[in-house]
Amino acid sequence: MYYSKSAKYAIQAMIYLAESNQEDLIMVSEIAEAYKIPKSFLSKITRTLGKHNLLKTTRGRNGGIQLSKSADDIKLIHIVEAIDGPEAGCERCGFGFDACSDDEPCPFHHKWGHIIKDAHSFIKTESLAELLAESLQE
Amino acid sequence: MYYSKSAKYAIQAMIYLAESNQEDLIMVSEIAEAYKIPKSFLSKITRTLGKHNLLKTTRGRNGGIQLSKSADDIKLIHIVEAIDGPEAGCERCGFGFDACSDDEPCPFHHKWGHIIKDAHSFIKTESLAELLAESLQE
DNA sequence: TGGCTTTAGGATATTATTATCTTGTTTGAT
DNA sequence: ATCAAACAAGATAATAATATCCTAAAGCCA
């Protein structure tokens, strides 16, 4: 995959929350079960998402997690960068060589760089809300 | 990056060979130095490429490696699959969920799947020779 | 032949990622 | 107040990817 497994888990969790009623508190264990993600591992991920203000957490009985803002305002890149670090969303060509820029293109630069840019602009512009809307369209 | 670091090293080595005179035997250490790849590590990779018949190896003094066939006939996918395994070139959507197929698309399926297909068809159709030709075009 | 060079191959080490476990803290319910 | 439920946090373990090291085998050359 393109990004880390952790980032994938993070996105799955965020989608789960976006699909639920936004007022509800959802338990981490519920999401973990739904997507067969190790619970403790997911819990660590949701903590990170919480620290990056992408979700709110509530402890104690009946506690859980929920989106911290509207699904419209959460882009995939926010999630990916929260988990994989700010470099993850960067649009360098990356396939080939150290010397690779628009000035000094590596053999891959044009064709591959184009694909990378598509990927980057996808996660940069796509919000959780849009994602859900599209998946329901058929 | 999209594929493993090993695959990237492999491609770099193959490009180096494609750029050289095809009759020449090139030492692994020369390539390793050129791209700052750990020599023993690259050596392991070239052995794998050799086993997959992508290059020929000659031992002993004045030995080295060379492409086993014309750069036209070597597609990137051959290299990637030799190193990362046959799954690496596969075009599953992969971002999202277990249940993800054209019939049962995950939220990412359409947009992300499209990007994946572009990437896949790039490595599937692009040969070493084409790659070099394009990089020289400016 | 003997010695040097170069790849082959396997053993081992390091690092990053993913997963698990244990204990602590917060909160609601009884 | 006490208990159980739920997330927080850090320690530890397992796995995979990357890197290093050492000895063997092959081939050239004096």
PDB file of all heavy atoms in Angstrom, chain C residues 1-2 4 9 22 28-29, chain D residues 1-3 9 22 27 29-30:
ATOM      1  P    DT C   1      47.561 -26.932 -10.612  1.00  0.00           P
ATOM      2  OP1  DT C   1      47.437 -28.379 -10.922  1.00  0.00           O
ATOM      3  OP2  DT C   1      46.404 -26.023 -10.528  1.00  0.00           O
ATOM      4  O5'  DT C   1      48.433 -26.821  -9.312  1.00  0.00           O
ATOM      5  C5'  DT C   1      49.871 -26.935  -9.428  1.00  0.00           C
ATOM      6  C4'  DT C   1      50.522 -25.640  -8.962  1.00  0.00           C
ATOM      7  O4'  DT C   1      50.495 -24.656 -10.026  1.00  0.00           O
ATOM      8  C3'  DT C   1      49.806 -25.000  -7.762  1.00  0.00           C
ATOM      9  O3'  DT C   1      50.780 -24.560  -6.842  1.00  0.00           O
ATOM     10  C2'  DT C   1      49.016 -23.843  -8.369  1.00  0.00           C
ATOM     11  C1'  DT C   1      49.921 -23.440  -9.551  1.00  0.00           C
ATOM     12  N1   DT C   1      49.174 -22.830 -10.694  1.00  0.00           N
ATOM     13  C2   DT C   1      49.458 -21.543 -11.040  1.00  0.00           C
ATOM     14  O2   DT C   1      50.288 -20.863 -10.466  1.00  0.00           O
ATOM     15  N3   DT C   1      48.731 -21.069 -12.114  1.00  0.00           N
ATOM     16  C4   DT C   1      47.775 -21.752 -12.858  1.00  0.00           C
ATOM     17  O4   DT C   1      47.210 -21.223 -13.797  1.00  0.00           O
ATOM     18  C5   DT C   1      47.520 -23.092 -12.432  1.00  0.00           C
ATOM     19  C7   DT C   1      46.502 -23.897 -13.151  1.00  0.00           C
ATOM     20  C6   DT C   1      48.218 -23.563 -11.386  1.00  0.00           C
ATOM     21  P    DG C   2      50.311 -24.254  -5.347  1.00  0.00           P
ATOM     22  OP1  DG C   2      51.413 -24.698  -4.472  1.00  0.00           O
ATOM     23  OP2  DG C   2      48.935 -24.740  -5.143  1.00  0.00           O
ATOM     24  O5'  DG C   2      50.280 -22.657  -5.340  1.00  0.00           O
ATOM     25  C5'  DG C   2      51.373 -21.925  -5.922  1.00  0.00           C
ATOM     26  C4'  DG C   2      51.043 -20.450  -5.833  1.00  0.00           C
ATOM     27  O4'  DG C   2      50.262 -20.068  -6.996  1.00  0.00           O
ATOM     28  C3'  DG C   2      50.194 -20.079  -4.619  1.00  0.00           C
ATOM     29  O3'  DG C   2      50.635 -18.806  -4.165  1.00  0.00           O
ATOM     30  C2'  DG C   2      48.763 -20.031  -5.161  1.00  0.00           C
ATOM     31  C1'  DG C   2      48.995 -19.546  -6.592  1.00  0.00           C
ATOM     32  N9   DG C   2      48.015 -20.026  -7.571  1.00  0.00           N
ATOM     33  C8   DG C   2      47.324 -21.233  -7.564  1.00  0.00           C
ATOM     34  N7   DG C   2      46.534 -21.374  -8.602  1.00  0.00           N
ATOM     35  C5   DG C   2      46.704 -20.198  -9.322  1.00  0.00           C
ATOM     36  C6   DG C   2      46.107 -19.776 -10.536  1.00  0.00           C
ATOM     37  O6   DG C   2      45.288 -20.382 -11.241  1.00  0.00           O
ATOM     38  N1   DG C   2      46.565 -18.526 -10.912  1.00  0.00           N
ATOM     39  C2   DG C   2      47.475 -17.768 -10.226  1.00  0.00           C
ATOM     40  N2   DG C   2      47.796 -16.588 -10.745  1.00  0.00           N
ATOM     41  N3   DG C   2      48.054 -18.143  -9.084  1.00  0.00           N
ATOM     42  C4   DG C   2      47.616 -19.363  -8.698  1.00  0.00           C
ATOM     43  P    DC C   4      47.662 -11.978  -3.375  1.00  0.00           P
ATOM     44  OP1  DC C   4      48.828 -11.152  -2.999  1.00  0.00           O
ATOM     45  OP2  DC C   4      46.869 -12.701  -2.353  1.00  0.00           O
ATOM     46  O5'  DC C   4      46.655 -11.066  -4.199  1.00  0.00           O
ATOM     47  C5'  DC C   4      47.012 -10.607  -5.506  1.00  0.00           C
ATOM     48  C4'  DC C   4      45.754 -10.521  -6.345  1.00  0.00           C
ATOM     49  O4'  DC C   4      45.277 -11.851  -6.649  1.00  0.00           O
ATOM     50  C3'  DC C   4      44.592  -9.803  -5.635  1.00  0.00           C
ATOM     51  O3'  DC C   4      44.214  -8.675  -6.409  1.00  0.00           O
ATOM     52  C2'  DC C   4      43.469 -10.832  -5.591  1.00  0.00           C
ATOM     53  C1'  DC C   4      43.867 -11.812  -6.696  1.00  0.00           C
ATOM     54  N1   DC C   4      43.351 -13.185  -6.486  1.00  0.00           N
ATOM     55  C2   DC C   4      42.555 -13.762  -7.472  1.00  0.00           C
ATOM     56  O2   DC C   4      42.297 -13.114  -8.497  1.00  0.00           O
ATOM     57  N3   DC C   4      42.084 -15.023  -7.282  1.00  0.00           N
ATOM     58  C4   DC C   4      42.385 -15.697  -6.167  1.00  0.00           C
ATOM     59  N4   DC C   4      41.903 -16.936  -6.031  1.00  0.00           N
ATOM     60  C5   DC C   4      43.206 -15.132  -5.147  1.00  0.00           C
ATOM     61  C6   DC C   4      43.668 -13.873  -5.337  1.00  0.00           C
ATOM     62  P    DG C   9      23.817 -18.598  -5.230  1.00  0.00           P
ATOM     63  OP1  DG C   9      23.464 -19.954  -5.700  1.00  0.00           O
ATOM     64  OP2  DG C   9      22.898 -17.466  -5.480  1.00  0.00           O
ATOM     65  O5'  DG C   9      24.111 -18.661  -3.677  1.00  0.00           O
ATOM     66  C5'  DG C   9      25.120 -19.539  -3.194  1.00  0.00           C
ATOM     67  C4'  DG C   9      25.181 -19.432  -1.698  1.00  0.00           C
ATOM     68  O4'  DG C   9      25.985 -18.281  -1.319  1.00  0.00           O
ATOM     69  C3'  DG C   9      23.806 -19.217  -1.047  1.00  0.00           C
ATOM     70  O3'  DG C   9      23.642 -20.209  -0.053  1.00  0.00           O
ATOM     71  C2'  DG C   9      23.882 -17.833  -0.430  1.00  0.00           C
ATOM     72  C1'  DG C   9      25.371 -17.682  -0.191  1.00  0.00           C
ATOM     73  N9   DG C   9      25.850 -16.314  -0.118  1.00  0.00           N
ATOM     74  C8   DG C   9      25.453 -15.244  -0.894  1.00  0.00           C
ATOM     75  N7   DG C   9      26.066 -14.127  -0.587  1.00  0.00           N
ATOM     76  C5   DG C   9      26.909 -14.482   0.459  1.00  0.00           C
ATOM     77  C6   DG C   9      27.824 -13.696   1.205  1.00  0.00           C
ATOM     78  O6   DG C   9      28.064 -12.498   1.086  1.00  0.00           O
ATOM     79  N1   DG C   9      28.486 -14.465   2.171  1.00  0.00           N
ATOM     80  C2   DG C   9      28.293 -15.807   2.385  1.00  0.00           C
ATOM     81  N2   DG C   9      29.006 -16.371   3.355  1.00  0.00           N
ATOM     82  N3   DG C   9      27.435 -16.546   1.696  1.00  0.00           N
ATOM     83  C4   DG C   9      26.791 -15.834   0.754  1.00  0.00           C
ATOM     84  P    DT C  22      -0.427  -9.281  30.987  1.00  0.00           P
ATOM     85  OP1  DT C  22      -0.191 -10.684  31.331  1.00  0.00           O
ATOM     86  OP2  DT C  22      -1.820  -8.782  30.834  1.00  0.00           O
ATOM     87  O5'  DT C  22       0.306  -8.351  32.055  1.00  0.00           O
ATOM     88  C5'  DT C  22       1.384  -7.511  31.649  1.00  0.00           C
ATOM     89  C4'  DT C  22       1.342  -6.191  32.403  1.00  0.00           C
ATOM     90  O4'  DT C  22       0.967  -5.117  31.502  1.00  0.00           O
ATOM     91  C3'  DT C  22       0.331  -6.136  33.557  1.00  0.00           C
ATOM     92  O3'  DT C  22       0.949  -5.497  34.660  1.00  0.00           O
ATOM     93  C2'  DT C  22      -0.800  -5.302  33.004  1.00  0.00           C
ATOM     94  C1'  DT C  22      -0.033  -4.335  32.112  1.00  0.00           C
ATOM     95  N1   DT C  22      -0.834  -3.716  31.029  1.00  0.00           N
ATOM     96  C2   DT C  22      -0.587  -2.394  30.709  1.00  0.00           C
ATOM     97  O2   DT C  22       0.244  -1.715  31.281  1.00  0.00           O
ATOM     98  N3   DT C  22      -1.365  -1.909  29.702  1.00  0.00           N
ATOM     99  C4   DT C  22      -2.345  -2.587  29.003  1.00  0.00           C
ATOM    100  O4   DT C  22      -2.978  -2.028  28.112  1.00  0.00           O
ATOM    101  C5   DT C  22      -2.556  -3.955  29.389  1.00  0.00           C
ATOM    102  C7   DT C  22      -3.586  -4.770  28.705  1.00  0.00           C
ATOM    103  C6   DT C  22      -1.791  -4.454  30.375  1.00  0.00           C
ATOM    104  P    DG C  28     -19.532  11.424  33.770  1.00  0.00           P
ATOM    105  OP1  DG C  28     -20.108  12.283  32.711  1.00  0.00           O
ATOM    106  OP2  DG C  28     -19.312  11.945  35.136  1.00  0.00           O
ATOM    107  O5'  DG C  28     -20.441  10.115  33.876  1.00  0.00           O
ATOM    108  C5'  DG C  28     -20.532   9.264  32.739  1.00  0.00           C
ATOM    109  C4'  DG C  28     -21.137   7.939  33.180  1.00  0.00           C
ATOM    110  O4'  DG C  28     -20.234   7.273  34.094  1.00  0.00           O
ATOM    111  C3'  DG C  28     -22.474   8.082  33.909  1.00  0.00           C
ATOM    112  O3'  DG C  28     -23.349   7.080  33.409  1.00  0.00           O
ATOM    113  C2'  DG C  28     -22.108   7.877  35.377  1.00  0.00           C
ATOM    114  C1'  DG C  28     -20.909   6.932  35.293  1.00  0.00           C
ATOM    115  N9   DG C  28     -19.939   7.079  36.379  1.00  0.00           N
ATOM    116  C8   DG C  28     -19.370   8.247  36.831  1.00  0.00           C
ATOM    117  N7   DG C  28     -18.511   8.056  37.805  1.00  0.00           N
ATOM    118  C5   DG C  28     -18.519   6.677  37.998  1.00  0.00           C
ATOM    119  C6   DG C  28     -17.787   5.876  38.917  1.00  0.00           C
ATOM    120  O6   DG C  28     -16.968   6.231  39.762  1.00  0.00           O
ATOM    121  N1   DG C  28     -18.096   4.521  38.778  1.00  0.00           N
ATOM    122  C2   DG C  28     -18.984   4.008  37.857  1.00  0.00           C
ATOM    123  N2   DG C  28     -19.150   2.697  37.867  1.00  0.00           N
ATOM    124  N3   DG C  28     -19.676   4.751  36.999  1.00  0.00           N
ATOM    125  C4   DG C  28     -19.392   6.068  37.122  1.00  0.00           C
ATOM    126  P    DA C  29     -24.875   7.060  33.892  1.00  0.00           P
ATOM    127  OP1  DA C  29     -25.675   6.712  32.698  1.00  0.00           O
ATOM    128  OP2  DA C  29     -25.178   8.271  34.666  1.00  0.00           O
ATOM    129  O5'  DA C  29     -24.881   5.803  34.861  1.00  0.00           O
ATOM    130  C5'  DA C  29     -24.300   4.583  34.401  1.00  0.00           C
ATOM    131  C4'  DA C  29     -24.388   3.535  35.494  1.00  0.00           C
ATOM    132  O4'  DA C  29     -23.334   3.768  36.465  1.00  0.00           O
ATOM    133  C3'  DA C  29     -25.705   3.552  36.274  1.00  0.00           C
ATOM    134  O3'  DA C  29     -26.107   2.215  36.501  1.00  0.00           O
ATOM    135  C2'  DA C  29     -25.349   4.273  37.565  1.00  0.00           C
ATOM    136  C1'  DA C  29     -23.896   3.842  37.760  1.00  0.00           C
ATOM    137  N9   DA C  29     -23.092   4.791  38.519  1.00  0.00           N
ATOM    138  C8   DA C  29     -23.069   6.147  38.389  1.00  0.00           C
ATOM    139  N7   DA C  29     -22.223   6.747  39.200  1.00  0.00           N
ATOM    140  C5   DA C  29     -21.652   5.694  39.909  1.00  0.00           C
ATOM    141  C6   DA C  29     -20.673   5.657  40.920  1.00  0.00           C
ATOM    142  N6   DA C  29     -20.084   6.754  41.396  1.00  0.00           N
ATOM    143  N1   DA C  29     -20.326   4.447  41.403  1.00  0.00           N
ATOM    144  C2   DA C  29     -20.929   3.354  40.914  1.00  0.00           C
ATOM    145  N3   DA C  29     -21.848   3.268  39.954  1.00  0.00           N
ATOM    146  C4   DA C  29     -22.171   4.487  39.496  1.00  0.00           C
TER     147       DA C  29
ATOM    148  P    DA D   1     -18.470   9.293  50.491  1.00  0.00           P
ATOM    149  OP1  DA D   1     -18.553   9.422  51.942  1.00  0.00           O
ATOM    150  OP2  DA D   1     -17.737  10.179  49.596  1.00  0.00           O
ATOM    151  O5'  DA D   1     -18.054   7.822  50.176  1.00  0.00           O
ATOM    152  C5'  DA D   1     -16.986   7.116  50.747  1.00  0.00           C
ATOM    153  C4'  DA D   1     -17.333   5.656  50.531  1.00  0.00           C
ATOM    154  O4'  DA D   1     -18.478   5.484  49.661  1.00  0.00           O
ATOM    155  C3'  DA D   1     -16.202   4.889  49.862  1.00  0.00           C
ATOM    156  O3'  DA D   1     -16.300   3.531  50.268  1.00  0.00           O
ATOM    157  C2'  DA D   1     -16.548   5.069  48.373  1.00  0.00           C
ATOM    158  C1'  DA D   1     -18.063   4.992  48.382  1.00  0.00           C
ATOM    159  N9   DA D   1     -18.719   5.843  47.367  1.00  0.00           N
ATOM    160  C8   DA D   1     -18.497   7.152  47.116  1.00  0.00           C
ATOM    161  N7   DA D   1     -19.264   7.639  46.164  1.00  0.00           N
ATOM    162  C5   DA D   1     -20.019   6.558  45.761  1.00  0.00           C
ATOM    163  C6   DA D   1     -21.023   6.402  44.789  1.00  0.00           C
ATOM    164  N6   DA D   1     -21.449   7.401  44.017  1.00  0.00           N
ATOM    165  N1   DA D   1     -21.580   5.191  44.651  1.00  0.00           N
ATOM    166  C2   DA D   1     -21.167   4.195  45.446  1.00  0.00           C
ATOM    167  N3   DA D   1     -20.241   4.211  46.399  1.00  0.00           N
ATOM    168  C4   DA D   1     -19.704   5.440  46.510  1.00  0.00           C
ATOM    169  P    DT D   2     -15.080   2.645  50.120  1.00  0.00           P
ATOM    170  OP1  DT D   2     -14.978   1.748  51.282  1.00  0.00           O
ATOM    171  OP2  DT D   2     -13.959   3.506  49.727  1.00  0.00           O
ATOM    172  O5'  DT D   2     -15.570   1.784  48.870  1.00  0.00           O
ATOM    173  C5'  DT D   2     -16.840   1.113  48.974  1.00  0.00           C
ATOM    174  C4'  DT D   2     -17.254   0.576  47.619  1.00  0.00           C
ATOM    175  O4'  DT D   2     -17.803   1.631  46.804  1.00  0.00           O
ATOM    176  C3'  DT D   2     -16.109  -0.042  46.812  1.00  0.00           C
ATOM    177  O3'  DT D   2     -16.508  -1.341  46.442  1.00  0.00           O
ATOM    178  C2'  DT D   2     -15.954   0.888  45.611  1.00  0.00           C
ATOM    179  C1'  DT D   2     -17.373   1.436  45.468  1.00  0.00           C
ATOM    180  N1   DT D   2     -17.534   2.729  44.777  1.00  0.00           N
ATOM    181  C2   DT D   2     -18.513   2.850  43.825  1.00  0.00           C
ATOM    182  O2   DT D   2     -19.251   1.951  43.503  1.00  0.00           O
ATOM    183  N3   DT D   2     -18.613   4.094  43.253  1.00  0.00           N
ATOM    184  C4   DT D   2     -17.828   5.205  43.528  1.00  0.00           C
ATOM    185  O4   DT D   2     -18.009   6.265  42.961  1.00  0.00           O
ATOM    186  C5   DT D   2     -16.817   5.000  44.523  1.00  0.00           C
ATOM    187  C7   DT D   2     -15.910   6.137  44.903  1.00  0.00           C
ATOM    188  C6   DT D   2     -16.714   3.790  45.097  1.00  0.00           C
ATOM    189  P    DC D   3     -15.420  -2.355  45.837  1.00  0.00           P
ATOM    190  OP1  DC D   3     -15.491  -3.624  46.585  1.00  0.00           O
ATOM    191  OP2  DC D   3     -14.129  -1.644  45.674  1.00  0.00           O
ATOM    192  O5'  DC D   3     -16.043  -2.610  44.376  1.00  0.00           O
ATOM    193  C5'  DC D   3     -17.468  -2.757  44.249  1.00  0.00           C
ATOM    194  C4'  DC D   3     -17.838  -2.588  42.789  1.00  0.00           C
ATOM    195  O4'  DC D   3     -17.936  -1.168  42.468  1.00  0.00           O
ATOM    196  C3'  DC D   3     -16.810  -3.183  41.816  1.00  0.00           C
ATOM    197  O3'  DC D   3     -17.496  -3.933  40.823  1.00  0.00           O
ATOM    198  C2'  DC D   3     -16.121  -1.950  41.235  1.00  0.00           C
ATOM    199  C1'  DC D   3     -17.257  -0.920  41.259  1.00  0.00           C
ATOM    200  N1   DC D   3     -16.799   0.498  41.273  1.00  0.00           N
ATOM    201  C2   DC D   3     -17.461   1.436  40.467  1.00  0.00           C
ATOM    202  O2   DC D   3     -18.399   1.065  39.759  1.00  0.00           O
ATOM    203  N3   DC D   3     -17.039   2.724  40.477  1.00  0.00           N
ATOM    204  C4   DC D   3     -16.012   3.081  41.267  1.00  0.00           C
ATOM    205  N4   DC D   3     -15.640   4.375  41.249  1.00  0.00           N
ATOM    206  C5   DC D   3     -15.319   2.147  42.094  1.00  0.00           C
ATOM    207  C6   DC D   3     -15.747   0.863  42.070  1.00  0.00           C
ATOM    208  P    DA D   9      -2.120  10.188  27.367  1.00  0.00           P
ATOM    209  OP1  DA D   9      -1.733  11.452  28.038  1.00  0.00           O
ATOM    210  OP2  DA D   9      -2.250  10.112  25.907  1.00  0.00           O
ATOM    211  O5'  DA D   9      -1.115   9.058  27.859  1.00  0.00           O
ATOM    212  C5'  DA D   9      -1.010   8.763  29.247  1.00  0.00           C
ATOM    213  C4'  DA D   9       0.022   7.671  29.443  1.00  0.00           C
ATOM    214  O4'  DA D   9      -0.617   6.379  29.309  1.00  0.00           O
ATOM    215  C3'  DA D   9       1.163   7.700  28.423  1.00  0.00           C
ATOM    216  O3'  DA D   9       2.370   7.663  29.141  1.00  0.00           O
ATOM    217  C2'  DA D   9       0.949   6.443  27.602  1.00  0.00           C
ATOM    218  C1'  DA D   9       0.283   5.537  28.629  1.00  0.00           C
ATOM    219  N9   DA D   9      -0.477   4.423  28.076  1.00  0.00           N
ATOM    220  C8   DA D   9      -1.220   4.394  26.932  1.00  0.00           C
ATOM    221  N7   DA D   9      -1.794   3.249  26.686  1.00  0.00           N
ATOM    222  C5   DA D   9      -1.391   2.451  27.744  1.00  0.00           C
ATOM    223  C6   DA D   9      -1.655   1.106  28.076  1.00  0.00           C
ATOM    224  N6   DA D   9      -2.421   0.305  27.344  1.00  0.00           N
ATOM    225  N1   DA D   9      -1.102   0.622  29.207  1.00  0.00           N
ATOM    226  C2   DA D   9      -0.332   1.426  29.947  1.00  0.00           C
ATOM    227  N3   DA D   9      -0.008   2.709  29.737  1.00  0.00           N
ATOM    228  C4   DA D   9      -0.579   3.165  28.612  1.00  0.00           C
ATOM    229  P    DC D  22      33.706  -9.804   9.507  1.00  0.00           P
ATOM    230  OP1  DC D  22      34.334  -9.629  10.835  1.00  0.00           O
ATOM    231  OP2  DC D  22      34.214  -9.052   8.338  1.00  0.00           O
ATOM    232  O5'  DC D  22      33.693 -11.353   9.149  1.00  0.00           O
ATOM    233  C5'  DC D  22      32.694 -12.198   9.741  1.00  0.00           C
ATOM    234  C4'  DC D  22      32.602 -13.495   8.958  1.00  0.00           C
ATOM    235  O4'  DC D  22      31.668 -13.332   7.868  1.00  0.00           O
ATOM    236  C3'  DC D  22      33.931 -13.928   8.333  1.00  0.00           C
ATOM    237  O3'  DC D  22      34.117 -15.321   8.529  1.00  0.00           O
ATOM    238  C2'  DC D  22      33.754 -13.611   6.855  1.00  0.00           C
ATOM    239  C1'  DC D  22      32.254 -13.828   6.677  1.00  0.00           C
ATOM    240  N1   DC D  22      31.652 -13.084   5.543  1.00  0.00           N
ATOM    241  C2   DC D  22      30.714 -13.731   4.721  1.00  0.00           C
ATOM    242  O2   DC D  22      30.407 -14.909   4.971  1.00  0.00           O
ATOM    243  N3   DC D  22      30.178 -13.060   3.682  1.00  0.00           N
ATOM    244  C4   DC D  22      30.540 -11.786   3.449  1.00  0.00           C
ATOM    245  N4   DC D  22      29.978 -11.161   2.411  1.00  0.00           N
ATOM    246  C5   DC D  22      31.490 -11.108   4.267  1.00  0.00           C
ATOM    247  C6   DC D  22      32.019 -11.790   5.298  1.00  0.00           C
ATOM    248  P    DG D  27      33.219 -19.976 -13.979  1.00  0.00           P
ATOM    249  OP1  DG D  27      32.110 -19.530 -14.859  1.00  0.00           O
ATOM    250  OP2  DG D  27      33.735 -21.363 -14.034  1.00  0.00           O
ATOM    251  O5'  DG D  27      34.442 -18.988 -14.210  1.00  0.00           O
ATOM    252  C5'  DG D  27      34.171 -17.584 -14.274  1.00  0.00           C
ATOM    253  C4'  DG D  27      35.470 -16.829 -14.201  1.00  0.00           C
ATOM    254  O4'  DG D  27      36.112 -17.081 -12.939  1.00  0.00           O
ATOM    255  C3'  DG D  27      36.490 -17.221 -15.281  1.00  0.00           C
ATOM    256  O3'  DG D  27      36.888 -16.036 -15.928  1.00  0.00           O
ATOM    257  C2'  DG D  27      37.629 -17.851 -14.485  1.00  0.00           C
ATOM    258  C1'  DG D  27      37.498 -17.082 -13.170  1.00  0.00           C
ATOM    259  N9   DG D  27      38.136 -17.675 -11.998  1.00  0.00           N
ATOM    260  C8   DG D  27      38.044 -18.963 -11.544  1.00  0.00           C
ATOM    261  N7   DG D  27      38.735 -19.179 -10.443  1.00  0.00           N
ATOM    262  C5   DG D  27      39.325 -17.955 -10.168  1.00  0.00           C
ATOM    263  C6   DG D  27      40.201 -17.572  -9.112  1.00  0.00           C
ATOM    264  O6   DG D  27      40.628 -18.259  -8.183  1.00  0.00           O
ATOM    265  N1   DG D  27      40.559 -16.227  -9.214  1.00  0.00           N
ATOM    266  C2   DG D  27      40.132 -15.371 -10.203  1.00  0.00           C
ATOM    267  N2   DG D  27      40.582 -14.122 -10.144  1.00  0.00           N
ATOM    268  N3   DG D  27      39.323 -15.717 -11.195  1.00  0.00           N
ATOM    269  C4   DG D  27      38.961 -17.015 -11.113  1.00  0.00           C
ATOM    270  P    DC D  29      42.724 -11.861 -18.280  1.00  0.00           P
ATOM    271  OP1  DC D  29      42.510 -10.473 -18.723  1.00  0.00           O
ATOM    272  OP2  DC D  29      42.725 -12.979 -19.252  1.00  0.00           O
ATOM    273  O5'  DC D  29      44.072 -11.928 -17.453  1.00  0.00           O
ATOM    274  C5'  DC D  29      44.149 -11.304 -16.172  1.00  0.00           C
ATOM    275  C4'  DC D  29      45.439 -11.687 -15.489  1.00  0.00           C
ATOM    276  O4'  DC D  29      45.245 -12.898 -14.704  1.00  0.00           O
ATOM    277  C3'  DC D  29      46.600 -11.988 -16.447  1.00  0.00           C
ATOM    278  O3'  DC D  29      47.750 -11.359 -15.954  1.00  0.00           O
ATOM    279  C2'  DC D  29      46.725 -13.511 -16.371  1.00  0.00           C
ATOM    280  C1'  DC D  29      46.355 -13.745 -14.910  1.00  0.00           C
ATOM    281  N1   DC D  29      45.941 -15.134 -14.594  1.00  0.00           N
ATOM    282  C2   DC D  29      46.341 -15.681 -13.365  1.00  0.00           C
ATOM    283  O2   DC D  29      47.026 -15.008 -12.594  1.00  0.00           O
ATOM    284  N3   DC D  29      45.956 -16.956 -13.055  1.00  0.00           N
ATOM    285  C4   DC D  29      45.213 -17.655 -13.916  1.00  0.00           C
ATOM    286  N4   DC D  29      44.854 -18.893 -13.548  1.00  0.00           N
ATOM    287  C5   DC D  29      44.786 -17.120 -15.170  1.00  0.00           C
ATOM    288  C6   DC D  29      45.175 -15.857 -15.457  1.00  0.00           C
ATOM    289  P    DA D  30      48.841 -10.897 -17.004  1.00  0.00           P
ATOM    290  OP1  DA D  30      48.708  -9.440 -17.199  1.00  0.00           O
ATOM    291  OP2  DA D  30      48.831 -11.805 -18.157  1.00  0.00           O
ATOM    292  O5'  DA D  30      50.181 -11.160 -16.173  1.00  0.00           O
ATOM    293  C5'  DA D  30      50.277 -10.642 -14.849  1.00  0.00           C
ATOM    294  C4'  DA D  30      50.994 -11.642 -13.956  1.00  0.00           C
ATOM    295  O4'  DA D  30      50.207 -12.852 -13.848  1.00  0.00           O
ATOM    296  C3'  DA D  30      52.366 -12.068 -14.501  1.00  0.00           C
ATOM    297  O3'  DA D  30      53.362 -11.803 -13.528  1.00  0.00           O
ATOM    298  C2'  DA D  30      52.244 -13.577 -14.738  1.00  0.00           C
ATOM    299  C1'  DA D  30      51.080 -13.961 -13.842  1.00  0.00           C
ATOM    300  N9   DA D  30      50.307 -15.098 -14.387  1.00  0.00           N
ATOM    301  C8   DA D  30      49.666 -15.167 -15.595  1.00  0.00           C
ATOM    302  N7   DA D  30      49.032 -16.310 -15.800  1.00  0.00           N
ATOM    303  C5   DA D  30      49.294 -17.035 -14.649  1.00  0.00           C
ATOM    304  C6   DA D  30      48.911 -18.326 -14.242  1.00  0.00           C
ATOM    305  N6   DA D  30      48.157 -19.142 -14.981  1.00  0.00           N
ATOM    306  N1   DA D  30      49.335 -18.748 -13.030  1.00  0.00           N
ATOM    307  C2   DA D  30      50.084 -17.933 -12.282  1.00  0.00           C
ATOM    308  N3   DA D  30      50.504 -16.706 -12.562  1.00  0.00           N
ATOM    309  C4   DA D  30      50.070 -16.312 -13.764  1.00  0.00           C
TER     310       DA D  30
END
